[in-house]
Amino acid sequence: MNAFISTLQKNVEVLTRPSSIEEFKYIPQEEKTLPNIGQLKDIVDLIKSIFFPGYFGVTGRNQNSQQYYTGVNIEKLYSLLDEQIYTGLHFFHTEDTREALKDSAELALVFIDRLPKIKRLLCTDIKAVFDGDPAARSYGEVIFCYPAIQAMINYRIAHELLALGIPVIPRIITELAHSATGIDIHSGAQIGEYFSIDHGTGVVIGETCIIGNHVRLYQGVTLGAKSFKLDDDGLPMNIPRHPILEDHVIVYSNSTILGRITIGHHSIIGGNIWQTSGVPPYSRILQRKAVSSFFVDGAGI
Amino acid sequence: MNAFISTLQKNVEVLTRPSSIEEFKYIPQEEKTLPNIGQLKDIVDLIKSIFFPGYFGVTGRNQNSQQYYTGVNIEKLYSLLDEQIYTGLHFFHTEDTREALKDSAELALVFIDRLPKIKRLLCTDIKAVFDGDPAARSYGEVIFCYPAIQAMINYRIAHELLALGIPVIPRIITELAHSATGIDIHSGAQIGEYFSIDHGTGVVIGETCIIGNHVRLYQGVTLGAKSFKLDDDGLPMNIPRHPILEDHVIVYSNSTILGRITIGHHSIIGGNIWQTSGVPPYSRILQRKAVSSFFVDGAGI
Amino acid sequence: MNAFISTLQKNVEVLTRPSSIEEFKYIPQEEKTLPNIGQLKDIVDLIKSIFFPGYFGVTGRNQNSQQYYTGVNIEKLYSLLDEQIYTGLHFFHTEDTREALKDSAELALVFIDRLPKIKRLLCTDIKAVFDGDPAARSYGEVIFCYPAIQAMINYRIAHELLALGIPVIPRIITELAHSATGIDIHSGAQIGEYFSIDHGTGVVIGETCIIGNHVRLYQGVTLGAKSFKLDDDGLPMNIPRHPILEDHVIVYSNSTILGRITIGHHSIIGGNIWQTSGVPPYSRILQRKAVSSFFVDGAGI
Amino acid sequence: MNAFISTLQKNVEVLTRPSSIEEFKYIPQEEKTLPNIGQLKDIVDLIKSIFFPGYFGVTGRNQNSQQYYTGVNIEKLYSLLDEQIYTGLHFFHTEDTREALKDSAELALVFIDRLPKIKRLLCTDIKAVFDGDPAARSYGEVIFCYPAIQAMINYRIAHELLALGIPVIPRIITELAHSATGIDIHSGAQIGEYFSIDHGTGVVIGETCIIGNHVRLYQGVTLGAKSFKLDDDGLPMNIPRHPILEDHVIVYSNSTILGRITIGHHSIIGGNIWQTSGVPPYSRILQRKAVSSFFVDGAGI
Amino acid sequence: MNAFISTLQKNVEVLTRPSSIEEFKYIPQEEKTLPNIGQLKDIVDLIKSIFFPGYFGVTGRNQNSQQYYTGVNIEKLYSLLDEQIYTGLHFFHTEDTREALKDSAELALVFIDRLPKIKRLLCTDIKAVFDGDPAARSYGEVIFCYPAIQAMINYRIAHELLALGIPVIPRIITELAHSATGIDIHSGAQIGEYFSIDHGTGVVIGETCIIGNHVRLYQGVTLGAKSFKLDDDGLPMNIPRHPILEDHVIVYSNSTILGRITIGHHSIIGGNIWQTSGVPPYSRILQRKAVSSFFVDGAGI
Amino acid sequence: MNAFISTLQKNVEVLTRPSSIEEFKYIPQEEKTLPNIGQLKDIVDLIKSIFFPGYFGVTGRNQNSQQYYTGVNIEKLYSLLDEQIYTGLHFFHTEDTREALKDSAELALVFIDRLPKIKRLLCTDIKAVFDGDPAARSYGEVIFCYPAIQAMINYRIAHELLALGIPVIPRIITELAHSATGIDIHSGAQIGEYFSIDHGTGVVIGETCIIGNHVRLYQGVTLGAKSFKLDDDGLPMNIPRHPILEDHVIVYSNSTILGRITIGHHSIIGGNIWQTSGVPPYSRILQRKAVSSFFVDGAGI
């Protein structure tokens, strides 16, 4: 046991010495301002039960009592948002930001006023996913089962929160969807109506993407940035650097589209493409034909 | 607080007005017929503990008492299946389907009778995964740790449930595996014995795929559909539209195989291929050689 | 009910008959030596709260009381490690391994002594991720939100446990990260300082990879093996079979690099590349230009 | 292990042999009609949060949103009552009872209509407890902290349920309070307004008690039955057999009042009394003076 | 915050200094031998579900599958008993006791063999409670709702464990019932068949009591000890010091019977009696008549 | 369903109308100042694990690491106390109290400074209980199992909190013990060293009691008040009204001692006594001898 105690005491000392902790400055713990991931999940779940009662959450037995549930859920949402927005506003506390001055309660109210708009957009996504999948039998199945809708719910919530100037919280909400679905949409991306993703695992949509209406992506599609410029301090510059996809574009699986380029409307990008330049409307891009041979021995590739 | 109350009341009104809710018809809540995702997880976990006692679930201290545990677990499984199959049968309630007439308890019993068959198939998958990985040291490690087995357990369960005509439930079960492993296998796909997937993230296997025995896929492989035909109502037609892979086919990472084409037996498809036409047996398909240059400045790509 | 009882009894009999169970030998349950996944998660969480107090776990209100928390957390970690290492050492019990003779408590202490080293390496990863993302605003955001860091924490812990000769446990720990992030790093891989992954879903890093310092990968990158040799018993041979990436290599999204080849330092591999041969330093590899046409009808691809 | 298996198998056989189980007939398990104690607790908690929002349960942030919470809580209450009343109606299933024919949903509605009446009575009890305790500082403290109120809430709920002819459920609800407070009030007892109990542990109020208004009991008071008559089958007869306490009676601690006797209004029964005959109004009953001596040695009593 | 840190550090020092901790010797924590109260509750619950399937625990859907549940429950019981008996045997570790040498697994098996006997005795208690309460409508109601049965289940389990020489565990089990029901029966007491307690709060039955068959107690009855003799070390002597109640004795509420005296068979002790001497069979003891007067002013007692 | 909706809406309206809610003024819910019973339980549990490590809570593996645990536990205690004391200070918000001005954090620190004193007193109680029970085998058994100690821990904590002027919280803490043990000690009572209670159910100790050292009570003992005087407003006056028990007094079971009287030191009060006048030192009080007869018929009492 002596070995245990000495190892314990030595490592406690090493791991708590100020130089060790300060190397990566961390949030003063006394203020308890860290976002709470469990509560952010609850926020998303509450919004789902407000938008789609019957599919998510506990709801009224019939249409006439639904108002009571929606009232309670919005009030719960308000409390949770107030608390979490506050933590977000305090996450970075460099002196030159004024974010901390904003009123988290006020922002929560503004967000609640945008719920009907968010719901309307999501309904277009549900229609687009349904229309694009021969296997889907009802909107309900799409709402209840499809990961793309799960990802879009989180994205559209996060996008509004980011638009209100709230830091960190939007990223956590989109990462929750990323972990559950493999779909990684930056909350800063601008995405139009009737957006759909099929299967979705591996999709990446970067911060400065602009996506029109009726766009459809398949699994593994990256809408990313090429190497980025550094500013005078040697830090990467946060400028528009991701693609623009105009209306009615389709991108097939595992393709990579990089840089601030424009994919013209009604274009189709085939699968497994590496695309770093823009294309005009109605383009059709396919991978070069593969090399084919016959397989003669057991050595594989 | 006045601002809060007025915002609350306004949005409760907007979000519960019939036009808003009816836009996307949802399940009458009184009948409480929605599938329960937690119980569907429990169903999968029970089957895992019945098939692989010792690795999953609580089991007997020795061989002689195992029967008590299996008896209890099958009876629990029966109760849960009865309840969840019922919810599945009521998920769509258009008048022309007769599904609701089927007896969920009876279907649960039929499913239980198929457990030995499902177990036998899974054991061939375990062998195939083990044989294909130099790092694997025992069947036990494969059963306990490999995401491909987790995905195959859910797929093979879901496939049998779909074969019994039960809607929605199979999709939820495969989506559970999709979320946990990144492997998205449609429960309608037909997959033979000794099937293996390596790593697996991003694999997509479409609804009408037919896969032979001893087939092996790597991460990121898509077996998908090209654009689909619309029927007279403008709805996509649910017809065979995904590839057929014959016995002993291997597909390397990130390749996309689209359409109702046939990949002949013993073929090898290299990685990052976009394949939309069939190939004869013993084919070997490789991506065209990339363009290579030397890197001179810091600008990256 | 008779149908239920007879189905129940028949299947209990079939599924517990020794031949059925023995087909895939499983761990003798009496010894209770199976690793516990929940406790392994707790181990990772404890280490995260020891390394990054304030971001993870419950911590002291200020710097001066942090020592109490670190002491308690290391002691809890020791107890959990002791128990789980023991289960790992007993997972395989073929007679020719001597692993079971090793002392799990002793190994737990050795591991604890390596915590400062693991923390130091992770701090270089955090810096690399931060430096590579224009959207990141602080180290704290990277620590708290980025899946790449989550994956690297699990990998670096697992790598040290594997280096101590502990079986199975390292794989479970990396699979936990794989499931949450879609990043699949084998605990045997050797990865240098300042390693970063962007987005990450679909990344696969094989067991015998050797990766230098300042290497950066994008989503969907595979560092894998080609077909492997079989030994005299027909079993795959566990020999070096994955790529070597020298310092300052960048690999863009969805590329596949296979086999024991060397990617020279400062090379850039573009996206969607299938690379099975080595390249010299400062190379730059791009996919051949795609075939482009205009889109004339509604038939898609 | 052989000893374990043989002991296990022998006792399973003995303890499940029909003669053993049938000795005490139990409820056919298939019908799943047993009351659920957890849900009965939830029912009481919901009623508490409906009656005293702010003290119990989750409530609205202000008066204006309280309606949403009350609506949701009453609807939850209705669902739980419906289910639990059903189980109560099926608990006894002798053929000559018609209870099972009653509609549990209908009874739940009738009960809900009586909530305002129950609340009104409880408010008189709160006032009586407050007025009787010099240490109490507000009604809120009495509602939140005093076991007598907890016992009266359960009793008054149970009393209404019993009045609706629902078996078993009332007893479970009063036993929940009995366990928590030591106060055992039979749900059949009739208790007027402004009833108070001080401290309460050990109080017993029998099934056929009739208690007027403004009555006050102290801890350990029994209002019980003397020996009871047997009917022709040798079974105890369920006839009026407990005391009647008229208005404004006070009974001090640990007194026992037995039999269908009447304690006249405004009477005071001192502590530690054994009373088996009635007394006229304004009576005052005290224990005979004790025998007093001096204590000379260490032998105690 | 300085005040907090100095208070924290000072009190940590004071409260962990060896003299402070050693003042009351406590169990060496490394051996982790403390009984676990949660597991002891589980043990009681398992036994309840083995004895009275349908009323407690999860049970089979019908008679034919009950064996599976009983098998699993007995095996779980065995594991829990093995562990908890071990902790009991190590609770006291003075050198002169040999308890630690006993085999906890062996004792667990012996206890399991006594389950049928314990069940048989409890069934007589159920009958006695039922026969004594005009309000009871079935054995099932008595099993499911009556605190006396809850107390007797715990007592009869604890009594057998004590008879096997296991320390501490029996007391914890009886204290669990004491806390829930207010009935405090020492596990050492000897209680015959057909024992019943009505209401029960405040009943105390001492360690060396001997109670015959068909005995009935009411709430608040104490069967206690008078002052006890000290041995040569000044410690109280653990000798027979509690009453003997012969068959068919009834004791009414709140009476106190002290010392090693004998209450002859068929005697009735009225309520609120202080009895320190034995009585012959068929005795009938009543409190002296109280002093009665009329109540003239508002001054109370 | 119409009946349900109309019942729902009617009762929501009735139960939330201001007149109904205001009848019993309740705490403004916006301020969220209600004490949290779960956290108060945690506070007691933390103190138990600080005082008696090894018996309660999670503790260090050995003496040398105990400091880390005590540090963490005291800091947790401080946070919880700060929060709960705050709620207590706001529970009553009449304008003339200044309690809300007190600093809850400061009071929490003062309380922490009194922990060593509280522990010292509890150790005397443990010794007294041990010395008084021939069946107790170690201090550890007393600490771990005896309800009297549980009640005294809660009382002594609550007494200190009350001494700091904190309202409501002390009562809740003593009611927690009351519910668990049946022992009801008002936090205002003054109790000396070496206090013991045997069995305890039904014991009541009033607010203004003064109890010396080495006092021992048995179950069912009441130290209460007679009727109390009313002030000019007709409210009961909160003046000294409970008994004084001098050193070395013993009171046997179920006795009731009422009013501001003094029981002289070394007195013994027998069981079932009703005592409303003081007695000199060394007194010995016994109930008058009961009336005894023989039992001739089956009619009972």
Side-chain angles (χ1 to χ4, degrees), chain D residues 238-254:
Chain D
N238 194 354
I239 53 172
R241 60 197 184 282
H242 299 97
I244 296 168
L245 271 60
E246 296 182 348
D247 295 353
H248 294 285
V249 163
I250 299 175
V251 186
Y252 278 86
S253 59
N254 297 326

Side-chain angles (χ1 to χ4, degrees), chain A residues 53-54 60-61 63 70 113 119 123 132 138-139 180 199 201 219 226-227 253-254 271-272 287 289 291 293 295, chain B residues 10-11 16 20 24 26 29-30 34 92 178-179 184 220 222 254 256 268 272 274 282 284 286 288 299 301:
Chain A
R61 292 170 79 89
Q63 188 85 358
T70 302
D113 250 0
K119 181 178 175 182
C123 288
S138 75
Y139 289 160
H199 306 296
T201 307
Q219 63 274 17
K226 288 194 284 192
S227 62
S253 59
N254 295 328
N272 296 83
Q287 195 190 44
K289 208 169 160 40
V291 176
S293 66
F295 179 66
Chain B
K10 180 181 69 182
N11 283 285
T16 61
S20 163
F24 288 84
Y26 64 111
Q29 295 140 2
E30 296 173 41
L34 269 185
F92 305 110
H178 183 194
S179 178
D184 181 0
T222 292
N254 296 327
T256 306
I268 295 177
N272 296 83
W274 164 258
Y282 293 99
R284 184 170 169 177
L286 291 183
R288 274 184 185 271
I301 287 177

Side-chain angles (χ1 to χ4, degrees), chain E residues 77-246:
Chain E
L77 177 62
Y78 172 73
S79 289
L80 287 173
L81 277 173
D82 183 0
E83 194 173 331
Q84 292 303 309
I85 289 173
Y86 178 88
T87 68
L89 294 176
H90 288 74
F91 193 86
F92 305 109
H93 36 134
T94 52
E95 286 176 55
D96 59 334
T97 61
R98 299 292 141 73
E99 294 159 345
L101 300 174
K102 290 178 195 164
D103 182 8
S104 59
E106 193 182 317
L107 289 171
L109 273 194
V110 175
F111 178 81
I112 284 168
D113 250 359
R114 297 190 185 173
L115 287 176
K117 172 191 157 194
I118 297 173
K119 180 176 175 182
R120 195 186 57 72
L121 282 169
L122 283 169
C123 288
T124 68
D125 300 332
I126 292 162
K127 278 182 181 161
V129 168
F130 177 80
D131 289 346
D133 186 352
R137 289 178 55 188
S138 75
Y139 289 160
E141 190 184 12
V142 170
I143 294 169
F144 197 60
C145 309
Y146 279 54
I149 295 307
Q150 189 176 350
M152 288 307 293
I153 289 171
N154 284 35
Y155 157 73
R156 293 210 184 272
I157 292 169
H159 185 73
E160 283 306 325
L161 291 168
L162 188 74
L164 295 174
I166 299 158
V168 178
I169 303 298
R171 173 174 282 273
I172 299 172
I173 289 174
T174 54
E175 284 297 345
L176 287 171
H178 183 194
S179 178
T181 67
I183 299 171
D184 182 1
I185 311 178
H186 195 288
S187 60
Q190 299 172 45
I191 303 182
E193 301 177 344
Y194 296 92
F195 181 69
S196 68
I197 300 175
D198 205 8
H199 307 294
T201 307
V203 163
V204 173
I205 300 177
E207 181 180 13
T208 63
C209 279
I210 299 174
I211 296 178
N213 298 327
H214 297 284
V215 168
R216 179 168 184 82
L217 306 183
Y218 284 82
Q219 63 274 17
V221 165
T222 292
L223 306 180
K226 287 193 284 192
S227 61
F228 35 79
K229 298 212 175 62
L230 303 183
D231 65 14
D232 295 347
D233 297 332
L235 293 173
M237 292 173 69
N238 193 353
I239 54 172
R241 61 197 183 282
H242 299 96
I244 296 168
L245 271 61
E246 295 181 348

